[in-house]
Amino acid sequence: MKISQDLLLERIRIKSAVEIQCWPGYSKADCSASTPLHRYPEHLHPEPLAQVLLSLTLVPDKVNFPQEELRVLDYWKSIGAFQKQLKLTSSLPPYVFYDGPPFATGTPHYGNLLAGTVKDICTRYAVQSGRYVERRFGWDCHGLPVEHEMDKRLSLNSAQEHLDFGIAKYNAECRKIVALYAQQWKQVVERFGRWVDFDGAYRTMDLNYMESVWWVFKELYNKELIYRSSRVMPFSTACNTVLSNFEANSNYKETTDPSLLVTFPLIGRHKISAVAWTTTPWTLPCNLALSVNPEFDYVMFEHKGERYVCGKENVEEVRKLLGVAKNAELKVVETFSGKEMIGWKYEPLFPYYKDHKNAFRIIEGEFVSKRVGTGVVHTAPGFGEEDFNACCRAGIIKPESPPCPVNDSGQFTDPVVDYKGVYIKDADKLIKEQLKKKKRLLAASSVRHSYPFCWRSDTPLIYKAVQAWFFKVTALKDELLKNNLEARWVPHNIREKRFHNWLADAKDWCFSRNRYWGNPIPLWVSDDYQEIIPVGSVKELAELAGIERPADIHRDSIDGIGIPSRKGKGMLRRIPEVFDCWFESGAMPFAQCHYPFDTKDPEFSAKFPADFIAEGLDQTRGWFYTLLVLSTALKGTSSYKNLIVHGLILAKDGKKMSKHLHNYTDPTHLANKTGADAIRLYMINSPVVKAEGLKFSDNGVEGIVKEVLLPWHNAYRFLVQNITRWEMQTGKTFVFDESMKEKVTSEAANVMDRWIVAAMQNLIKFIRQEMGNYRLYTVVPKLLKFLDQLTNGYVRFNRSRIKGDTSLQDWNTSLNILFNVMLNTTIAMACYTPFTSEMIYQNLKNGITSTSLYSAESVHHLRLPQADEELIDEEIESRVGRMRNVVALGRAIRDKKKLPVKQPLQELVIICKDTAKVESIKALERYILGELNVFSIKYCSNEEDYVYYKVDPNYQAISDRLGKHVIKALRPFIENLTDSQIKEYTQHSSLTLKDNEGKEYKLQQGDIITTPIFFDKHVTDGKYGCACNLEGSVMLNVEVTEELNKARVARELTNHVQMARKDANVNIEDSIVVYYSVEGEELKSIVEENMGHIRKALKVPLVSIAYMPNILELIYKDQYTLPSSGRVSYILGRSHVVFDVEKIKEKLGNVRMAELNKALREIIEMAYDEVKEIAVKDELEIVVDGKKLKLKNGIDMFLNIEEYLKAKQN
């Protein structure tokens, strides 16, 4: 900011001690006069003197948030802010946080950044609340995410190709990817302001972590919770591995598949066929049975001369699949029960399993549905869990050897010789053609349906019989349901519905994977699997195998290690499978601290369970689930006490964010445009923190900058400007006075001061209450509402006080109040907007004594203050709230009528029948008059003559709380509420209703939505504009008279001059004078009538251009034109002293005029502020022709032309 040299010299004399004010992290040498301009932090103006002289650094008009954030990052790094915070809080009670490990692939997307923001907010708040919080980052290094990316890079598509490439070489490449992405993650995460320990991060690929996972597994094995079985499981042919059920359920998509009606001729029943429907033609070569529900009725129907069998309730569905017209019916010729059909035999579709014992007959299947298909289900036990179970019960297959002629890459193998080597989905068309040739295809079309895709490769899954290892989760179901209730979930309905239902239906967990880059399952077995040895540590492996301890335990390091059999079965070898990476992340509470090896039980109990975890909604079937399962099995309890579930972030178009689709802006690019704080605030002020979805919009982020961060910054800049003004005028250094209580509790205290302090204390109380319950979704809106109260309420209503238009004492009070609130706001916002809070705090702390509790190196080293209950005043908050609501309604009318605030209006009508409310509004009337620019306010108590209430029942809310049956009982009463009932509900947010049977039901807030509406006769009245809400109703006289127009012109002129001052870089501290001239009688009349208002607004001398001296330092020249009415020309000049030359000459006597003018010119050419200081002391002396004269201020000389003219008039 530009400050005149004279002004700066003046301030040097005022301050007793000169200290250079530097941006923290920069040395005084960096801020010295000799420093090149490009080395200055942009936060500081490059004029060296400006930094020497101000107790608080002047704030530029415009702020570049991204650049400021980068400076804050530099500052944090320079002082080791995060490490210092840990050191400062190390003696405080610990707060345990578990960080869910992201996969070490790719760079962070908005979902990752959202999770990181939620974690950062809650852990920062824990520190603010007096806790010590370790925050270790974690990396999920193993498993499909890394392997799938590596497979694409190396073009590896099958198990044999992996073995040919070499497991050791493959794992080395995977390790490189992890290291590559880890550094990129660190840069992005830190750029978004999260404080987390990357250097001490745990990694699932590290030896200590892997060893603890082995211990976890052995404990489960010893508890008989581990077993091997053949099951039909979700299988990813792209990744060549089995998946768990919760992985398969995590990525359902809409996809199009074939829809075939296939016939199965019944043996011994001439020209009669059972009809089955399938969307997986590739499974038909492996058909071994047909399943029917024995409890259903079935029918025989005729179609085109043939007879077919289907479920009675499925006839309509079959008609649609056959394409038979709606008005035509399928002729039913016979009905029989499903039970009668059991044992019927049919002709095989394909010959591959024609000799299979007990096959090709109809069997029981209770899973058969009436809702879809034909009621007859094609059953291939190798490719469906229900098929598998039904065929096992029917004795068609043995559980350990179901027919499954499809390899891990999804290609057919023997005995399906006709399609051997063909990918199953490619075989669909070939199979369809074969069915046509055999006349077994009754109808063919396609169907759009939801289907599971691989969560990593994004390819369709299949269900395939595999030999795998399982964790017996079903044995823990009751305990899991009980432990689930011990943790607090936010929002709570996820725990009670989604997660509870998932646990109640939990299946045994298939945790083995047929992969390479993973933690090997530590089971050494004999060839016949009759001898199995679980290994729980590296030491145990070395002892059992008689070798040195291996330095690494990945497959390439230990697959060659054998353990001698204890039963004479030769050398035991490790099974080829590795752990599901979700097993490893679920073991995180134990493995991150190398339990029970480096960390023993007493120490571990201080780290378990976690006080807090947070992840996305998708983790209800992922990390949240595996954490609970493993901790329940090992410790009998949940591994977390509090859990926040956030929703998923989608692109603006509602689709999944995709680099391929280019449907989102890279997070780092957007942060460099808007700042990371804006992105953080945008995300956490959205439904996504209530586990709902968010369609991410760059415009939404920019809206946060415009509507939240800029107003906050402008209020902060306004505070600093006026502290500087106060210092200039008083000659004192501003020091924040923390004794606020006395300033706002006295009867003489300003009502706005009392209001904003009360609101601030209430906010702190609310934050502590709600953050203690982890409800970010209530805290953030409250914070933003308070920022609006501060910037658009307190600062707007008190601009003149804060600028010093009242007494010095009141000025000092208003500055201290605003400083207090700005400081506490900055601390309260620090968790949510860490950069902006730090930027503001680093300047504010220059006005705080070093012994204050508010003094620290970083705002993030401060505690959130406790709320002072004595300063909370609900009544005054309500009063100001009502007043602000009136202002908001008035502005809404102005906006609707397109009447800018600069246009004065005659009258505002406030409609309210509550006398107490009216009196409270009257007490604050002056603020309404000023904000709405109206001359008068009128009050009307007959509210019913103006407004009626529209009622909208919220049946969903009523149903959720009271039950669906209540809706039917109460609907006629709710839809016919009387005026008195509506009034009662509006006033009290509750209403008791009785149904026809006299049973009472209490409606609460939110059950009914009432909306006040003005009667049409008032809305259509052109003289007034109307606006109302539940808090009040107002009417604004929108007629613009000639007198009102004149007042508007005067205001426009004033604004025009003010903008000229801004364009000329004239600061509030600079002494100037405005000279003007008016052309046009109409405009001249307007200026003369409103001169008092114009002078008051400009706060500088306003003088006719006729009195402008010849010697004037010109600053700016411009003119304001009013079409057809004239124009005002004006000149901004530096303030100067004015002399009464005649009076001075009279006092000096006979002197030469040329010498007198010379002496006076020398004074005029001096620095104005220096002349001013001397003149006010009456010590200004001139010497003319040897004669001395001390000039008297206000008699011989005047500090400005305006004072001179007033004196002459008197």
Side-chain angles (χ1 to χ4, degrees):
M1 282 205 138
K2 202 164 185 178
I3 300 176
S4 69
Q5 185 78 4
D6 299 335
L7 186 62
L8 293 170
L9 290 171
E10 169 70 12
R11 296 218 49 206
I12 290 175
R13 283 191 291 274
I14 292 174
K15 294 181 71 73
S16 57
V18 175
E19 290 190 7
I20 297 177
Q21 302 295 326
C22 299
W23 175 254
Y26 291 81
S27 68
K28 292 187 178 182
D30 290 331
C31 299
S32 68
S34 62
T35 305
L37 293 184
H38 69 270
R39 289 188 60 197
Y40 276 97
E42 193 174 303
H43 184 83
L44 305 176
H45 193 275
E47 291 187 40
L49 282 175
Q51 293 149 63
V52 174
L53 298 169
L54 305 179
S55 61
L56 270 66
T57 305
L58 283 171
V59 183
D61 288 348
K62 294 182 179 179
V63 59
N64 186 317
F65 287 112
Q67 288 186 17
E68 294 294 344
E69 290 180 353
L70 294 178
R71 288 193 192 95
V72 170
L73 284 172
D74 286 344
Y75 175 58
W76 286 345
K77 186 176 180 180
S78 71
I79 67 167
F82 177 35
Q83 293 74 20
K84 192 161 289 185
Q85 185 198 69
L86 292 172
K87 184 178 179 181
L88 290 169
T89 58
S90 59
S91 62
L92 298 175
Y95 177 92
V96 181
F97 163 68
Y98 293 164
D99 197 5
F103 297 112
T105 56
T107 52
H109 51 70
Y110 287 106
N112 301 127
L113 296 172
L114 168 62
T117 299
V118 171
K119 296 170 188 178
D120 190 51
I121 288 169
C122 290
T123 50
R124 283 183 187 273
Y125 175 75
V127 174
Q128 277 193 337
S129 301
R131 304 289 290 276
Y132 171 71
V133 189
E134 279 189 358
R135 281 151 278 179
R136 291 181 68 197
F137 202 78
W139 294 108
D140 202 337
C141 307
H142 290 144
L144 291 182
V146 176
E147 288 188 290
H148 183 61
E149 181 159 338
M150 185 52 61
D151 289 351
K152 287 191 294 183
R153 290 190 182 192
L154 301 175
S155 300
L156 301 177
N157 299 308
S158 69
Q160 189 57 50
E161 289 177 359
H162 282 87
L163 295 175
D164 292 343
F165 185 80
I167 294 178
K169 188 177 176 183
Y170 181 81
N171 283 357
E173 292 297 321
C174 290
R175 199 183 292 269
K176 288 179 185 176
I177 285 186
V178 172
L180 170 68
Y181 285 120
Q183 185 57 35
Q184 294 179 3
W185 267 75
K186 182 179 180 181
Q187 291 173 355
V188 176
V189 169
E190 290 181 347
R191 174 63 188 89
F192 276 77
R194 186 179 174 196
W195 281 9
V196 64
D197 182 6
F198 277 100
D199 296 333
Y202 68 85
R203 304 188 302 175
T204 61
M205 69 180 188
D206 290 342
L207 178 62
N208 285 354
Y209 194 101
M210 294 173 71
E211 184 177 34
S212 286
V213 173
W214 279 20
W215 173 85
V216 168
F217 173 75
K218 185 176 180 181
E219 289 292 302
L220 299 178
Y221 188 90
N222 291 340
K223 291 174 181 282
E224 299 183 350
L225 293 172
I226 304 296
Y227 66 94
R228 183 172 184 256
S229 178
S230 181
R231 294 270 187 89
V232 173
M233 295 297 297
F235 197 94
S236 171
T237 57
C239 297
N240 303 150
T241 189
V242 66
L243 300 179
S244 64
N245 283 304
F246 64 77
E247 288 175 299
N249 280 291
S250 68
N251 190 25
Y252 267 79
K253 290 187 171 187
E254 289 293 312
T255 189
T256 301
D257 276 320
S259 171
L260 305 186
L261 272 182
V262 183
T263 63
F264 296 83
L266 298 172
I267 296 173
R269 298 172 188 274
H270 185 60
K271 289 189 176 182
I272 301 174
S273 298
V275 181
W277 175 66
T278 183
T279 59
T280 54
W282 62 269
T283 63
L284 290 171
C286 306
N287 171 270
L288 293 185
L290 294 175
S291 297
V292 299
N293 194 314
E295 303 300 321
F296 291 176
D297 287 331
Y298 286 78
V299 298
M300 185 190 303
F301 68 90
E302 289 185 353
H303 177 64
K304 294 183 178 180
E306 300 288 338
R307 292 188 172 188
Y308 303 100
V309 174
C310 74
K312 183 178 180 180
E313 299 294 330
N314 301 84
V315 170
E316 178 62 17
E317 181 68 18
V318 171
R319 183 192 64 75
K320 292 178 183 177
L321 291 168
L322 286 171
V324 176
K326 285 184 178 181
N327 56 0
E329 291 185 2
L330 298 176
K331 184 180 178 182
V332 174
V333 295
E334 188 178 347
T335 302
F336 37 82
S337 70
K339 193 172 184 179
E340 294 176 56
M341 298 173 64
I342 306 301
W344 290 2
K345 294 185 178 181
Y346 63 89
E347 295 178 12
L349 276 174
F350 293 92
Y352 311 122
Y353 292 99
K354 64 181 180 179
D355 297 326
H356 194 96
K357 190 177 179 180
N358 292 328
F360 308 111
R361 58 191 174 90
I362 295 178
I363 63 175
E364 287 190 20
E366 293 182 356
F367 60 88
V368 177
S369 171
K370 295 178 181 179
R371 294 192 302 273
V372 293
T374 68
V376 179
V377 175
H378 140 61
T379 308
F383 303 108
E385 183 179 6
E386 291 165 332
D387 304 41
F388 178 90
N389 293 335
C391 286
C392 284
R393 286 193 298 268
I396 295 175
I397 63 167
K398 293 180 180 180
E400 64 273 11
S401 57
C404 185
V406 173
N407 66 18
D408 289 353
S409 297
Q411 298 166 329
F412 278 112
T413 61
D414 289 330
V416 186
V417 292
D418 296 320
Y419 310 112
K420 186 176 180 179
V422 178
Y423 181 63
I424 52 174
K425 294 302 290 181
D426 295 335
D428 278 347
K429 290 183 180 179
L430 302 176
I431 292 168
K432 178 181 171 183
E433 291 303 316
Q434 187 69 7
L435 293 174
K436 280 183 181 178
K437 290 179 182 178
K438 292 183 175 186
K439 297 184 179 180
R440 302 286 290 272
L441 185 62
L442 188 58
S445 59
S446 61
V447 62
R448 187 81 175 161
H449 63 158
S450 183
Y451 190 82
F453 277 61
C454 175
W455 64 279
R456 197 63 237 171
S457 65
D458 218 26
T459 56
L461 297 177
I462 66 171
Y463 283 80
K464 179 176 181 288
V466 293
Q467 283 280 352
W469 292 88
F470 293 85
F471 176 4
K472 201 180 296 181
V473 175
T474 49
L476 304 172
K477 188 173 293 185
D478 291 342
E479 202 172 353
L480 289 171
L481 291 169
K482 178 179 73 70
N483 289 341
N484 180 42
L485 298 176
E486 294 176 358
R488 174 182 11 226
W489 285 60
V490 179
H492 65 87
N493 64 296
I494 304 296
R495 181 192 74 178
E496 295 168 3
K497 294 181 180 179
R498 186 186 182 102
F499 197 60
H500 171 87
N501 294 340
W502 179 250
L503 293 176
D505 194 39
K507 295 178 172 59
D508 287 351
W509 175 8
C510 176
F511 64 85
S512 60
R513 298 290 180 269
N514 309 93
R515 296 298 302 181
Y516 316 96
W517 174 242
N519 192 339
I521 297 176
L523 286 176
W524 271 255
V525 302
S526 59
D527 292 342
D528 59 4
Y529 279 80
Q530 295 304 303
E531 185 177 1
I532 301 176
I533 296 180
V535 176
S537 70
V538 176
K539 178 183 178 183
E540 184 181 0
L541 174 61
E543 291 173 350
L544 289 170
I547 60 171
E548 293 291 323
R549 288 192 186 191
D552 182 48
I553 54 175
H554 284 93
R555 281 193 63 178
D556 50 292
S557 298
I558 67 167
D559 277 3
I561 297 174
I563 295 177
S565 170
R566 298 167 182 170
K567 299 180 180 180
K569 293 181 177 288
M571 192 66 73
L572 307 186
R573 296 294 174 186
R574 198 194 67 80
I575 62 173
E577 293 91 344
V578 298
F579 282 109
D580 173 6
C581 59
W582 293 100
F583 189 98
E584 296 180 78
S585 61
M588 169 266 178
F590 312 98
Q592 68 159 343
C593 58
H594 199 208
Y595 177 81
F597 305 101
D598 291 339
T599 303
K600 305 299 181 183
D601 273 320
E603 184 183 353
F604 180 73
S605 63
K607 300 180 178 181
F608 180 90
D611 289 295
F612 166 67
I613 64 172
E615 294 295 341
L617 186 62
D618 53 335
Q619 295 306 315
T620 52
R621 294 174 179 178
W623 192 54
F624 298 152
Y625 175 69
T626 60
L627 278 176
L628 181 64
V629 166
L630 291 178
S631 64
T632 296
L634 295 174
K635 296 293 184 181
T637 186
S638 172
S639 53
Y640 44 83
K641 299 175 185 176
N642 300 284
L643 183 157
I644 291 180
V645 188
H646 63 73
L648 304 181
I649 295 183
L650 304 172
K652 186 178 179 180
D653 57 8
K655 296 179 181 178
K656 184 178 179 181
M657 287 186 171
S658 166
K659 291 182 180 178
H660 174 69
L661 294 175
H662 305 290
N663 60 356
Y664 72 98
T665 304
D666 179 88
T668 304
H669 293 165
L670 186 57
N672 290 337
K673 177 183 177 183
T674 64
D677 273 353
I679 300 173
R680 287 170 61 114
L681 210 50
Y682 169 70
M683 293 190 296
I684 60 173
N685 187 43
S686 75
V688 80
V689 291
K690 293 194 288 186
E692 299 173 18
L694 169 64
K695 294 179 182 179
F696 193 94
S697 165
D698 292 5
N699 291 338
V701 178
E702 291 166 0
I704 290 291
V705 175
K706 181 180 178 181
E707 297 166 18
V708 179
L709 297 182
L710 278 175
W712 181 18
H713 179 269
N714 289 339
Y716 150 66
R717 181 171 62 88
F718 183 69
L719 170 64
V720 174
Q721 281 180 336
N722 286 287
I723 286 175
T724 302
R725 183 198 290 268
W726 181 87
E727 289 180 320
M728 291 291 300
Q729 186 160 328
T730 63
K732 300 175 182 177
T733 300
F734 178 86
V735 178
F736 170 48
D737 179 2
E738 297 181 34
S739 58
M740 285 297 99
K741 188 177 294 187
E742 294 77 10
K743 290 181 169 58
V744 296
T745 54
S746 67
E747 291 186 10
N750 180 278
V751 65
M752 285 295 146
D753 291 349
R754 292 170 61 194
W755 165 64
I756 199 63
V757 170
M760 180 77 250
Q761 295 303 315
N762 228 340
L763 174 67
I764 293 172
K765 180 181 179 181
F766 184 84
I767 291 172
R768 286 190 170 277
Q769 173 186 309
E770 294 299 288
M771 284 301 293
N773 289 301
Y774 296 88
R775 290 193 283 261
L776 267 68
Y777 58 85
T778 63
V779 174
V780 177
K782 189 85 169 180
L783 277 165
L784 299 191
K785 180 182 178 182
F786 179 79
L787 278 175
D788 177 70
Q789 290 175 324
L790 174 62
T791 58
N792 290 322
Y794 184 77
V795 172
R796 284 178 68 98
F797 294 144
N798 290 272
R799 290 188 75 85
S800 60
R801 289 180 64 228
I802 298 167
K803 283 183 173 183
D805 288 352
T806 54
S807 67
L808 276 177
Q809 182 179 350
D810 189 45
W811 189 10
N812 182 262
T813 298
S814 67
L815 290 174
N816 271 283
I817 293 292
L818 182 55
F819 192 101
N820 172 278
V821 175
M822 185 64 68
L823 179 59
N824 281 303
T825 301
T826 302
I827 297 169
M829 288 292 293
C831 302
Y832 311 89
T833 53
F835 294 108
T836 308
S837 298
E838 189 74 270
M839 174 190 74
I840 293 174
Y841 175 75
Q842 288 302 325
N843 198 15
L844 292 184
K845 77 174 187 179
N846 292 322
I848 303 169
T849 60
S850 59
T851 57
S852 170
L853 293 176
Y854 285 112
S855 180
E857 273 192 284
S858 167
V859 71
H860 303 289
H861 297 168
L862 296 173
R863 298 268 189 96
L864 181 68
Q866 292 288 343
D868 189 334
E869 295 282 352
E870 292 185 23
L871 297 179
I872 295 175
D873 189 334
E874 302 281 359
E875 171 57 28
I876 205 163
E877 286 194 72
S878 297
R879 285 164 53 193
V880 176
R882 281 191 287 271
M883 178 269 289
R884 293 192 72 214
N885 183 64
V886 169
V887 171
L889 291 172
R891 286 177 184 162
I893 296 172
R894 277 186 172 276
D895 290 343
K896 187 176 180 180
K897 299 292 184 179
K898 297 181 180 179
L899 287 169
V901 176
K902 65 185 177 182
Q903 172 62 64
L905 296 175
Q906 190 62 46
E907 180 186 59
L908 176 74
V909 179
I910 298 175
I911 302 160
C912 181
K913 68 190 321 176
D914 189 318
T915 306
K917 288 182 179 180
V918 168
E919 290 306 313
S920 72
I921 294 172
K922 283 183 177 180
L924 301 172
E925 219 176 56
R926 66 185 184 280
Y927 298 109
I928 300 172
L929 294 169
E931 283 298 302
L932 292 182
N933 195 11
V934 293
F935 290 128
S936 64
I937 296 178
K938 177 183 174 183
Y939 295 89
C940 291
S941 60
N942 50 334
E943 186 179 350
E944 60 277 3
D945 292 341
Y946 292 89
V947 175
Y948 68 95
Y949 285 86
K950 178 187 174 186
V951 175
D952 292 306
N954 185 350
Y955 288 124
Q956 186 62 51
I958 298 171
S959 175
D960 290 345
R961 191 168 56 81
L962 300 177
K964 290 184 179 179
H965 66 285
V966 176
I967 301 299
K968 187 176 181 180
L970 292 185
R971 186 186 295 271
F973 299 97
I974 293 176
E975 293 180 355
N976 294 282
L977 293 175
T978 64
D979 290 343
S980 61
Q981 287 176 315
I982 295 172
K983 189 179 299 181
E984 180 184 346
Y985 183 81
T986 303
Q987 291 177 349
H988 306 292
S989 296
S990 69
L991 178 66
T992 300
L993 294 179
K994 292 182 180 180
D995 63 14
N996 286 325
E997 297 178 359
K999 188 175 180 180
E1000 291 188 346
Y1001 298 94
K1002 188 172 183 179
L1003 300 182
Q1004 298 179 358
Q1005 185 173 6
D1007 289 346
I1008 299 176
I1009 301 169
T1010 56
T1011 307
I1013 299 174
F1014 269 95
F1015 287 111
D1016 285 344
K1017 65 180 180 180
H1018 300 297
V1019 176
T1020 55
D1021 181 358
K1023 184 177 179 180
Y1024 287 92
C1026 306
C1028 59
N1029 56 26
L1030 289 174
E1031 304 301 320
S1033 306
V1034 303
M1035 298 172 64
L1036 183 64
N1037 187 333
V1038 294
E1039 286 187 335
V1040 179
T1041 63
E1042 183 179 348
E1043 291 303 312
L1044 293 174
N1045 250 330
K1046 288 182 179 181
R1048 174 187 59 79
V1049 170
R1051 186 159 182 164
E1052 284 182 356
L1053 171 60
T1054 304
N1055 291 340
H1056 202 275
V1057 177
Q1058 296 285 40
M1059 290 303 297
R1061 293 172 70 175
K1062 188 173 182 180
D1063 291 342
N1065 289 323
V1066 174
N1067 296 310
I1068 55 173
E1069 303 87 359
D1070 294 345
S1071 299
I1072 66 166
V1073 60
V1074 177
Y1075 293 96
Y1076 73 95
S1077 65
V1078 185
E1079 299 175 27
E1081 290 302 317
E1082 182 178 349
L1083 188 55
K1084 186 175 182 180
S1085 171
I1086 292 173
V1087 171
E1088 288 176 353
E1089 289 176 15
N1090 293 275
M1091 183 58 71
H1093 296 296
I1094 297 173
R1095 278 200 169 99
K1096 184 178 180 181
L1098 293 178
K1099 298 185 180 67
V1100 295
L1102 186 62
V1103 183
S1104 169
I1105 207 164
Y1107 296 101
M1108 188 174 74
N1110 294 328
I1111 302 173
L1112 177 69
E1113 183 183 346
L1114 179 67
I1115 300 174
Y1116 199 87
K1117 184 177 181 180
D1118 203 353
Q1119 61 184 22
Y1120 166 77
T1121 302
L1122 184 65
S1124 73
S1125 297
R1127 65 182 177 183
V1128 176
S1129 300
Y1130 59 89
I1131 294 173
L1132 308 186
R1134 294 289 177 194
S1135 290
H1136 55 88
V1137 293
V1138 179
F1139 303 98
D1140 189 333
V1141 178
E1142 293 302 320
K1143 192 163 288 186
I1144 294 172
K1145 186 177 180 183
E1146 181 182 333
K1147 287 186 177 181
L1148 285 171
N1150 189 20
V1151 293
R1152 289 174 294 172
M1153 197 65 197
E1155 289 300 308
L1156 175 57
N1157 286 337
K1158 181 180 177 181
L1160 297 180
R1161 184 183 292 274
E1162 287 176 357
I1163 295 173
I1164 291 173
E1165 290 176 350
M1166 290 174 61
Y1168 174 77
D1169 291 282
E1170 187 176 355
V1171 175
K1172 180 179 175 182
E1173 181 185 6
I1174 300 170
V1176 295
K1177 299 175 183 177
D1178 289 334
E1179 293 178 352
L1180 194 61
E1181 186 178 78
I1182 58 172
V1183 179
V1184 182
D1185 288 341
K1187 296 180 179 180
K1188 294 182 180 181
L1189 176 66
K1190 278 193 175 182
L1191 302 179
K1192 294 287 185 181
N1193 183 35
I1195 298 175
D1196 306 318
M1197 62 166 292
F1198 303 86
L1199 295 178
N1200 58 61
I1201 185 68
E1202 198 170 45
E1203 290 184 8
Y1204 170 76
L1205 294 175
K1206 285 180 182 178
K1208 284 297 182 182
Q1209 287 174 356
N1210 294 333

